[in-house]
Amino acid sequence: MEEQVPSLGSGVESAVARAMARVLPEQAGADPLVRPSERADLQSNAALAAARTARTAPARLAGSLAEALREDRTAPIARVEVAGPGFLNVTLTDAALWHQVAARAADPRLGIGTPERGRRTVIDYSGPNIAKEMHVGHLRTTIIGDSLARILGFLGGEVVRQSHVGDWGTQFGMLIQYLDEHPDARWHQADLAADTDAVSALDQLYRAARALFEADADFADRARRRVVALQAGDPPTVATWRTIVAESETAFGRLYDRLGVLLTPADYAGESTYNDQLAGVAAELEAAGVARLSEGALCVFDPAFTGPDGAPVPLLVRKSDGGYGYDTTDLATIRHRLRDLRADRLLYVVDARQSLHFAQVFAAARAAGWLPDTVEAVHVAFGTVLGPDGRPFKTRSGGTVRLAELLDAAVTRARAVVAEKNPGLPAAELDRIAEQAGIGSVKYADLSTARIKDYAFDLDRMVSLSGNTGVYLQYAHARIRSLLRRAAEQGLAPDPAAVDGTVAPAGAERRLVLLLDRYAGALSDTVAGYEPHRLCGYLYSLAKAYTEFYETCPVLAAGTDAQRANRLVLSALAADTLRGGLDLLGIAAPDRL
RNA sequence: GCGCUCGUAGCUCAACGGAUAGAGCACUUGACUACGGAUCAAGAGGUUGCAGGUUCGAGUCCUGCCGAGCGCGCCA
């Protein structure tokens, strides 16, 4: 049943390639350079590119290619014209256009193939800190990483999610000691009210512990001893630590559920899971001659990375006190993901400010031989979320903005917008829609700008009903569902088998078909640069193209039965593509809004 | 000092090296007995920071400037 439907673009590519092979055999392997066109269904720029090496005038070569294409009976081409300096403007046959619509609509995957099949990608994202509330700084890694994981998985790839949870460090000695001395403190989820959670309680207790640590030297001593006990595996200390971790992970899970993020406890691979590998990592690097001792610390010096004094900046594999920092744990993740998880590709969805760190870590891992040239390791870097003042987003008092309250604010705003426009909604449905629209707004706003850039968090723009927003896409989808419901009331259902290839599509209809056929291309563009905003841009143009179609092409009141049958299938395919695309962004597509 | 990233319409942002640089917001004008007007159409708005270079063709690639942000030994 599931069947890949090659795009019309790829069909034209092969046709141009065949034409090239006939007209210019020595450049048979050249890129056909087939692109969407404003002046035709598709265009090929192959003649322009090939003319120089062929020592031919581009227009002349284009003419020869056009002639060859006209003789190609297997190509889905109705007309080829040479334009400008040598562009090939291609018009497709109506039958080919409708065939794509019917074939995609008939397939549960909309004819999208599985180009990622056989490739295993380990993707590192989210990575919240145990006993600390998730804040705005976790928003982008969580949302971008989850979307990439969904897309790679949909394209047939094997995806291993890894959340590098901050579950280890000296701060836990402080917290555990404080909890031990304050047995009355309530932080287990079972002891808390439903509207709060363990991680929120633990975060507050940690702040209290920190304050005490700085004010009370005796407590500080006891806290330090507790760190040693934790590292030594002291059973009661470890038991408390485990409970803290478990309670925190449960709380993260609740937030992930709300956000529509796929991470599960099985995906948590915290820093502590690498503890017993760190000495081995250091030893291997030293034995391989990649790392050497400097001022008591084991370091990797790479002349490619220099500091203010012009000397190489070290990667700290082992600190002079014998401890290990995040340089080492990140090196350990690479070794583990290659050796044990057998990754074919590594993605680290981490703040752009860590770019030097990852460049160093990747270089060291390559030098150590852990990371072969055949395996791509990518720092999927993203910019900072800014506040209205253009500075990193903080609360008015300068504190971090909790993710939960950010989402609450968006949902509240979305509820007001929906309630105003649709006053008749029952309260329960309003709640559900406000949640989906509000969460979707935040996620879409984050995903829809180029990830490397900073962006300003602006709720008013995010929940806007027009423009490139999540709500607009949700609305476009809901309106098509509404149309299909109305059709169903009249006993009309979209039937791909009933699509009539002899119907001449109207202009807006034709543009919509062509765009729908580019879905796979949009996904591969998105994966090529690990840039979800490309998928967003595609879906936005699709929503606009459907609206234009909707305005000018009556569906239920179409001129002929054949036209109506075709438009019903076209509408269903547009709705399914919007919903599928939104799902790959991790955004809900409700049937009503 | 060195390195990374960014600079596109008044604002927020797009644009696999392709033709006349596109959207949204805001602004102007027009269209509602309407398959959801929560919409659409049209108009106006640009020396793509500056200067060179590569190319048949540059917002895109290269070099140098200018401006902004970020980063650069034992925090993560």
Side-chain angles (χ1 to χ4, degrees), chain A residues 368-394:
Chain A
W370 300 337
L371 191 57
D373 291 340
T374 53
V375 173
E376 165 183 44
V378 183
H379 174 204
V380 182
F382 54 82
T384 306
V385 180
L386 307 176
D389 58 354
R391 303 295 306 165
F393 200 14
K394 293 277 168 59

Side-chain angles (χ1 to χ4, degrees), chain A residues 569-581:
Chain A
V569 175
L570 188 52
S571 295
L573 178 60
D576 289 347
T577 305
L578 282 171
R579 183 161 61 192

Side-chain angles (χ1 to χ4, degrees), chain A residues 484-494 555-556 564 568:
Chain A
L484 293 172
R485 278 194 299 274
R486 177 136 332 193
E489 287 165 11
Q490 300 176 18
L492 298 169
V555 177
L556 300 180
R564 185 174 63 191
L568 276 174

